[in-house]
Amino acid sequence: MATQLKNLSDFSATEIPSAAAYRFGIVVAEWNAEITNALYQGAYQSLVNNGAQPQNIYNYTVPGSFELTSGADLLLKNINLDAVICLGCVIQGETKHFDFICDAVANGLTNVAIKYSKPVIFGVLTTDNQQQAIDRAGGKHGNKGDEAAITAIKMAHLAKSIKT
Ligand SMILES: Nc1c(NC[C@H](O)[C@H](O)[C@H](O)CO)[nH]c(=O)[nH]c1=O
Ligand SMILES: CC(=O)[C@@H](O)COP(=O)(O)O
């Protein structure tokens, strides 16, 4: 498994641009809150550790990962942001519901990013079980929230460099 070869929180500080000039939205799904709260803490701390100003980080929650698309759309429609980080945890149950949510969120967030020409970061765990989620939300495989935050910083920097 690719993740087993990589820690989601391993980054070289020299490769990460400063986040000081950028404004970030973070949308967090409430489903599996013990996991998504850990993802949020990782993302928020990674932003701040790389220079983001707390007053430039706009935090919101939505009921479930399926609503992350609506959340990202509302933020980009109403707030001047350089990137939106979307955090969720979808865990396989007994039915195909998992598949529909995961596909909807991945495609939905992609469409929002294109609609606004803004980076929308897919920080959603899609796991077979709870332990896999724990391992990727501050456990042995790091924190996907860290990864999502660093991705947001890099994409915001890329967007700025292309525009100027
Ligand atoms: N089972 C999980 C859900 N289900 C809820 C959906 O995301 C959505 O809120 C509902 O279908 C109403 O639109 N959400 C997760 O984030 N994680 C899950 O494991
Ligand atoms: C991913 C889900 O929505 C899942 O938790 C729902 O469980 P089930 O497929 O057993 O209804």
Side-chain angles (χ1 to χ4, degrees), residues 31 90-91 93-95 97-98 101:
W31 257 78
V90 189
I91 301 175
E94 296 177 353
T95 72
H97 197 224
F98 171 90
I101 294 173

Side-chain angles (χ1 to χ4, degrees), residues 105-134:
V105 176
N107 291 316
L109 295 184
T110 298
N111 291 334
V112 171
I114 294 169
K115 176 179 177 181
Y116 292 98
S117 295
K118 290 289 179 73
V120 177
I121 310 306
F122 184 77
V124 182
L125 293 175
T126 56
T127 66
D128 295 331
N129 54 57
Q130 178 91 3
Q131 188 57 52
Q132 287 180 350
I134 292 168

Side-chain angles (χ1 to χ4, degrees), residues 33-92:
E34 71 283 358
I35 299 294
T36 60
N37 287 339
L39 297 177
Y40 168 77
Q41 291 301 326
Y44 182 89
Q45 202 55 54
S46 290
L47 290 177
V48 171
N49 289 347
N50 284 282
Q53 303 297 312
Q55 64 267 29
N56 289 340
I57 303 174
Y58 298 79
N59 308 301
Y60 294 89
T61 60
V62 294
S65 291
F66 186 85
E67 285 73 38
L68 288 171
T69 298
S70 299
D73 188 273
L74 285 167
L75 261 65
L76 288 170
K77 184 176 182 178
N78 294 288
I79 306 174
N80 178 25
L81 297 170
D82 295 294
V84 175
I85 300 164
C86 297
L87 303 173
C89 176
V90 189
I91 301 175
Q92 176 67 62

